[in-house]
Amino acid sequence: MMAFATITTTVAAITIPRACLPPHDTYPFCNASLPHRHRIDDLISRLTLDEKPTLLMARESPKGNVSRLGVPEYDWGANCVHGVQSRCSAEGRCPTSYPNPNTLGASFNKTVWQQMGSVIGLELRSLWLQGVGEAHDDNLPHLGLDCWSPNINIVRDPRWGRNLETPSEDPLVCGWFGERVTRGLQVGADPRFLQAVVTLKHFDANSLEGNWGAHGELNRHTFDAKISQHDLFASYLPAFKRAVVEGNAKGVMCSYNAINGVPSCANAWLLG
């Protein structure tokens, strides 16, 4: 005689804050039939000067709601370098942690990179729907669907400090890695939607972490990378170009440092 047990799992309904719910559903930015650009322009036009800065700061995202427009907070600062960096779900399900990218890069296995990206994107969306937050002891809300990854900076100096985050010292390998992880993470089962959103980092020439002076006067925020145009186009830009053009990456994070005297996040030439 064989006994069969039927296990019923009941998952509590979790309500993820949504925009465009009544009575805030009549704005043009809520009209899914309009082009994205029109919807974005409409929303931005309705924001006050005081509201805009909090929407730009991921780590301040609990303050990033605009209640008068029905726009909820949104945490767009999750890390997914080798798996979703989050807490486990209420049921004890935790995101998969993969080897660090420098190990993955050494495999030269593009299929593995893309499959890893696919799992990370699927798990991020699942954890988002379950209301799971980042792995930080603070007041950050539930995860969003944006990933600060992959890191495709060139790793050529062991003193950098973030060597484990990036796959290679070679621009071509970094480009392949960025392209394949991006495809896996962003493309899901439903072609109408992005599964998750890649944010390539750090654009560009980020290669210094921590304090490098007796008094901490040199750090990633004060470092100015002196790079020739030849080296910039031969070494530092190709990986990002490939990940965006071939991988269709939807996001890019500007680097903390300056390049040739101009901070990356204020560099019109670099970001234009």
Side-chain angles (χ1 to χ4, degrees), residues 81-136:
V81 172
H82 58 97
V84 182
Q85 185 180 316
S86 74
R87 302 181 180 93
C88 300
S89 70
E91 292 78 25
R93 298 185 181 93
C94 303
T96 305
S97 181
Y98 289 92
N100 283 316
N102 59 352
T103 305
L104 293 165
S107 73
F108 295 95
N109 193 323
K110 299 177 185 177
T111 302
V112 166
W113 303 340
Q114 186 160 335
Q115 289 175 341
M116 178 193 71
S118 181
V119 173
I120 291 174
L122 186 62
E123 290 186 344
L124 177 65
R125 181 165 282 272
S126 174
L127 291 160
W128 169 68
L129 287 170
Q130 296 175 72
V132 177
E134 287 191 60
H136 294 283

Side-chain angles (χ1 to χ4, degrees), residues 22-82:
H24 304 287
D25 56 344
T26 60
Y27 299 113
F29 67 78
C30 295
N31 187 347
S33 66
L34 293 177
H36 283 165
R37 174 55 59 187
H38 292 180
R39 298 173 68 189
I40 293 169
D41 288 345
D42 178 70
L43 174 58
I44 292 175
S45 72
R46 297 174 188 276
L47 297 173
T48 68
L49 186 60
D50 290 335
E51 289 168 340
K52 292 177 181 178
T54 53
L55 293 176
L56 295 173
M57 297 182 289
R59 291 292 185 247
E60 297 295 328
S61 53
K63 302 175 184 177
N65 64 298
V66 185
S67 299
R68 66 182 183 85
L69 298 177
V71 177
E73 47 78 13
Y74 182 76
D75 180 8
W76 51 273
N79 270 301
C80 308
V81 172
H82 58 97

Side-chain angles (χ1 to χ4, degrees), residues 122-224:
L122 186 62
E123 290 186 344
L124 177 65
R125 181 165 282 272
S126 174
L127 291 160
W128 169 68
L129 287 170
Q130 296 175 72
V132 177
E134 287 191 60
H136 294 283
D137 295 327
D138 52 28
N139 64 342
L140 287 175
H142 60 86
L143 294 162
L145 291 175
D146 292 75
C147 271
W148 285 353
S149 64
N151 185 343
I152 52 175
N153 287 134
I154 305 299
V155 55
R156 290 180 175 169
D157 191 330
R159 299 171 297 173
W160 175 18
R162 301 188 76 154
N163 302 59
L164 56 85
E165 283 193 16
T166 187
S168 179
E169 65 180 1
D170 180 69
L172 180 60
V173 174
C174 286
W176 285 340
F177 186 81
E179 173 194 350
R180 290 308 186 99
V181 172
T182 295
R183 287 185 184 180
L185 196 143
Q186 291 190 162
V187 180
D190 192 331
R192 296 175 301 167
F193 306 104
L194 291 173
Q195 177 172 254
V197 181
V198 155
T199 308
L200 305 171
K201 62 182 189 181
H202 309 80
F203 191 63
D204 201 355
N206 175 249
S207 59
L208 186 147
E209 197 76 16
N211 294 322
W212 282 46
H215 305 289
E217 69 276 3
L218 182 61
N219 54 55
R220 66 185 187 182
H221 298 289
T222 60
F223 181 62
D224 183 13

